[in-house]
Amino acid sequence: MSADPADPVYRNPVLDADWSDPDVIRVGDDFYLTASSFGRVPGLPLLHSRDLVNWTLVGHALQRLEPESDFAVPRHDCGVWAPSLRHHDGRFWIFWGDPDRGVFQVNAPEIRGPWTRPHLVKAGKGLIDPCPLWDEETGEAYLVHAWAKSRSGVKNRLTGHRMHPHGTELLDEGKVIVDGDRIPGWFTLEGPKLYRHDGWFWILAPAGGVETGWQGAFRSRAFFGPYEEKVVLEQKDTDVNGPHQGGWVRTPSGEDWFLHFQQRGAYGRVGHLQPMRWGGGGGWPVIGDDGAPVAEHRRPDLPPQPPAAPATDDDFPGGRPGRQWQWTANPRDGWATHHSADGLRLTCVRTPDAQDLRALPNVLTQRLPGTPCTVEVDLRLDDGEPGARAGLAVLGDAYSWIGLQRGPDGTVRLVHRFAETVAGQERDAAPPRPAPGGRARLRVDIGAGARCRFSYDTGDTADTGDGAGEGGFRPSGQVFAATPWRWVGALLGLVALAPTGQGHAGTATFTQFRIRIQEKRADR
């Protein structure tokens, strides 16, 4: 993304972090986007833009995952899959599939809410990627969805339903309207987005796999088919693998654009904006540069906007985390304490899973930037008992964290630990070091390939380790290569915990959380 609003060109990705499975709409002069949030809480992020290039995070549509008991513990790859965002009858609507329970929807009069409680529209295993359509010409409503083979034993097909115009229930048992097994060379058809255009029903849907596939278009004069298909966006000779699912949007001046994602390993699914036009080769959509993703392009014909991006930095005013933070499960009272000053005050939650951060519900996370960056935060470990600890983590299927821990003699030491993908327990990444006063500034330098270098500054001039570097920081441990979960990119996390026991185990205060984007360097 260009930082200069006077620059007539934008650069992809326009959302350089894990905004998975995006869908986008326009209401008046405003554009809105939502994305998958899987097992993190709050869920269903809501982004706003005036130019399709600069986006800000304005809230979430889902404050807790249901059923509560299922998401009391982390279920990183479950929960909210591939939502669709629509505006109909003066309300915003979001439909999504929970692969273990079925198709849900929430709706609200304004993008910032209040949003309704989740309503189960269709129960069932493996029902994913739902998208509604209200046909303004006929007054009828429809819904299409895909299938997750891991839950249903079925994939590579799209099922269509008539839907009650209220969006509360489906009016039939459904019919397979596109069977990918009948299309030579097509597999893993999913992520449908349903539209009406020029007298046709259109479905824009990817196939071929998240990292290796293409974007298809299907059209029919009747909702239940038959549909004809065409590949409208594919990698060709670019470095944009996939390219995977997204949504079509039209500007007030009549320009068409397509916003989709690209899978980038530990960085997750980053958002790309493609020019789009109708009428190519018999009325089909043409996306990108004649069907290939663009790296940069003329900006949309929209009023210039100041540079913007979803927030990352946080001073935690009043002890409250900003919108960019999500818990790894439904939060409980007492995990964070509200107060009158700045700083996030986390309780050292007692847990039997103290040796595996991946199993903890009380990790506060935000997305890993897709650009080389430096992450820093101040940490103070207050009172508490032996074993109480807190720190800054890079969290995925494998993880590493650096922070403070109180020892048996009451002193606080700087610790750095990691866990491999297949390991159920942490190991030391570096020897513990003194942390006078129970304070430290923690740093992670994240380079190309999501390779992470941890360092710290305890203010201890007597530390004779590897020597202080920039600003008094000392390196710690080996380079750690961040990893994603199956569907979720790596996360930055703040955590405070303690071993099982009775009574209060202490608190940790985090202040001045900062992310500085770096220039790419040849050695990273």
Side-chain angles (χ1 to χ4, degrees):
M1 180 173 66
S2 171
D4 182 359
D7 190 337
V9 171
Y10 74 87
R11 294 166 182 84
N12 277 316
V14 294
L15 284 167
D16 200 0
D18 187 23
W19 300 97
S20 179
D21 312 316
D23 194 23
V24 61
I25 61 170
R26 177 177 66 87
V27 180
D29 294 328
D30 298 284
F31 298 92
Y32 299 102
L33 180 150
T34 192
S36 296
S37 49
F38 298 99
R40 303 194 301 279
V41 183
L44 290 173
L46 303 167
L47 283 74
H48 170 256
S49 177
R50 285 288 183 93
D51 64 0
L52 290 171
V53 174
N54 294 282
W55 293 89
T56 57
L57 178 63
V58 297
H60 292 82
L62 190 61
Q63 295 308 306
R64 297 184 74 81
L65 290 167
E66 298 184 3
E68 292 267 349
S69 58
D70 282 6
F71 293 96
V73 296
R75 302 180 67 205
H76 298 291
D77 295 319
C78 301
V80 177
W81 283 23
S84 292
L85 174 62
R86 293 293 181 264
H87 190 260
H88 166 72
D89 197 24
R91 297 184 72 84
F92 291 88
W93 300 78
I94 301 178
F95 285 68
W96 76 93
D98 179 324
D100 298 304
R101 300 197 65 220
V103 173
F104 288 86
Q105 62 96 338
V106 291
N107 60 87
E110 304 289 342
I111 196 68
R112 290 173 174 81
W115 289 85
T116 60
R117 286 273 304 271
H119 174 79
L120 184 61
V121 178
K122 180 184 180 181
K125 295 278 190 179
L127 310 180
I128 59 169
D129 308 348
C131 184
L133 172 70
W134 286 270
D135 190 334
E136 303 298 342
E137 295 180 9
T138 64
E140 294 187 326
Y142 305 94
L143 183 131
V144 63
H145 69 80
W147 294 86
K149 187 175 182 179
S150 61
R151 280 27 175 229
S152 65
V154 174
K155 72 168 189 174
N156 204 32
R157 63 189 63 171
L158 306 180
T159 296
H161 294 266
R162 293 188 183 275
M163 183 176 72
H164 193 291
H166 291 166
T168 54
E169 59 182 317
L170 303 179
L171 302 180
D172 56 37
E173 293 301 313
K175 175 186 175 182
V176 175
I177 58 176
V178 179
D179 186 346
D181 290 346
R182 296 179 178 270
I183 308 173
W186 285 58
F187 60 97
T188 318
L189 175 63
E190 58 187 346
K193 294 294 182 282
L194 180 61
Y195 306 95
R196 277 288 250 156
H197 174 67
D198 196 27
W200 297 86
F201 287 90
W202 290 89
I203 299 173
L204 300 180
V210 170
E211 296 188 10
T212 57
W214 57 89
Q215 186 70 38
F218 300 82
R219 70 180 182 184
S220 174
R221 292 295 185 183
F223 172 69
F224 286 105
Y227 283 84
E228 52 185 324
E229 80 282 343
K230 182 180 177 65
V231 175
V232 293
L233 185 68
E234 55 188 324
Q235 181 171 352
K236 296 190 176 180
D237 60 354
T238 75
D239 61 358
V240 181
N241 59 294
H244 216 68
Q245 79 185 67
W248 162 46
V249 68
R250 175 166 286 177
T251 68
S253 66
E255 287 185 346
D256 295 304
W257 297 86
F258 184 72
L259 200 150
H260 68 95
F261 80 78
Q262 173 200 10
Q263 173 66 40
R264 289 190 57 220
Y267 299 115
R269 300 172 176 184
V270 303
H272 287 242
L273 181 66
Q274 303 295 335
M276 175 174 163
R277 59 181 174 85
W278 291 91
W284 292 89
V286 179
I287 302 178
D289 180 8
D290 195 25
V294 300
E296 57 181 50
H297 193 270
R298 173 189 56 81
R299 284 175 176 262
D301 181 21
L302 293 163
Q305 301 295 318
T312 56
D313 294 356
D314 206 347
D315 288 318
F316 309 105
R320 293 172 171 82
R323 295 188 182 102
Q324 65 268 36
W325 297 97
Q326 297 170 291
W327 298 99
T328 49
N330 283 327
R332 302 172 200 167
D333 291 341
W335 284 359
T337 302
H338 297 166
H339 51 86
S340 60
D342 288 352
L344 178 69
R345 191 176 298 162
L346 294 182
T347 299
C348 294
V349 176
R350 292 189 180 277
T351 174
D353 296 312
Q355 289 297 317
D356 191 350
L357 299 190
R358 296 163 295 199
L360 299 185
N362 59 304
V363 184
L364 193 62
T365 68
Q366 66 166 280
R367 293 162 180 82
L368 186 76
T371 302
C373 64
T374 295
V375 183
E376 290 185 10
V377 68
D378 282 333
L379 170 62
R380 185 183 73 237
L381 190 61
D382 301 315
D383 52 45
E385 64 177 40
R389 68 199 75 165
L392 168 66
V394 178
L395 191 64
D397 205 29
Y399 72 84
S400 186
W401 71 279
I402 191 168
L404 300 174
Q405 178 168 332
R406 189 171 299 277
D409 60 355
T411 62
V412 177
R413 300 180 72 82
L414 188 291
V415 295
H416 181 190
R417 300 201 173 105
F418 77 101
E420 299 172 79
T421 300
V422 296
Q425 188 165 318
E426 297 176 348
R427 295 166 52 199
D428 283 332
R433 302 177 184 273
R439 297 173 178 266
R441 185 149 183 88
L442 311 173
R443 174 188 283 183
V444 187
D445 289 295
I446 305 172
R451 287 156 55 195
C452 304
R453 292 170 171 83
F454 288 79
S455 56
Y456 66 95
D457 178 9
T458 60
D460 181 13
T461 58
D463 187 337
T464 58
D466 297 315
E470 175 194 351
F473 281 89
R474 293 178 169 85
S476 181
Q478 301 299 316
V479 172
F480 170 75
T483 63
W485 280 286
R486 186 176 184 187
W487 308 125
V488 180
L491 300 167
L492 299 171
L494 303 178
V495 64
L497 65 150
T500 54
Q502 300 296 319
H504 181 65
T507 59
T509 301
F510 295 88
T511 54
Q512 294 185 337
F513 184 91
R514 298 289 183 268
I515 297 181
R516 301 196 313 272
I517 301 300
Q518 301 173 351
E519 294 295 329
K520 292 184 179 180
R521 287 169 38 182
D523 63 340
R524 297 208 167 177

